Amino acid sequence: CALPRDGEMAARFGGFAAVCLGLMMVGACAAEAGGAHLLVQKAMLTNKHFAGSDVPVRYRIFNVGNGAAYDVQLEDEWSPEEFETVSGLSTGNWAKIPAGGNISHIVVVKAHTYGYKTTSAARVTFKQAPGSDETHVVHSNDLGLMPVLSVKDDDKSSNPHLAEWGLFLLAAVALVALPIVLLRPPAPSDSKKKVKSS
């Protein structure tokens, strides 16, 4: 398990802070307007995606308004030519999301081949009152182009790289041993001792 680099951690924190700030601003606007106001977030739960491997996708629906949202329906489309649904459904129905409440929904998909895959925004419909004829529509964020790596890339990233580590250790031992061998004082030889004694 690799720890994220400082740049990755800062980017994640910055993205999280931006989402929180956006939720607070929209929540403040929705509170003034009254009624339900939904925000939808679509996110991949893995950093790297490989062809033939499971990719969990999470949808989070936040009601930042003052009223409850009724008859909430989530719809998302995954191209059957590019993806296969492994578990879960890309649709969901909820009778009510109260003010200040949220719902999470997860679907697991699998890409058939490697390359850049296009994804679309999820669509959520809801009503302000039960039995109302007026339907409101909101969309999630779009994930854009999703890079899907090949199985060879997966093997490279999970390979322990024993040959590279062996060469590194050999070079490290050579760097430590070479100065010791070159800088040690010469030992007196036996022939010099014999000359002095005669």
Side-chain angles (χ1 to χ4, degrees), residues 144-162:
L145 288 177
M146 182 176 82
V148 177
L149 304 173
S150 69
V151 177
K152 290 180 182 178
D153 294 328
D154 186 19
D155 292 341
K156 287 179 187 176
S157 66
S158 60
N159 187 4
H161 303 284
L162 295 177

Side-chain angles (χ1 to χ4, degrees), residues 6-19:
D6 291 339
E8 291 175 6
M9 187 66 89
R12 286 183 185 169
F13 180 74
F16 178 73
V19 168

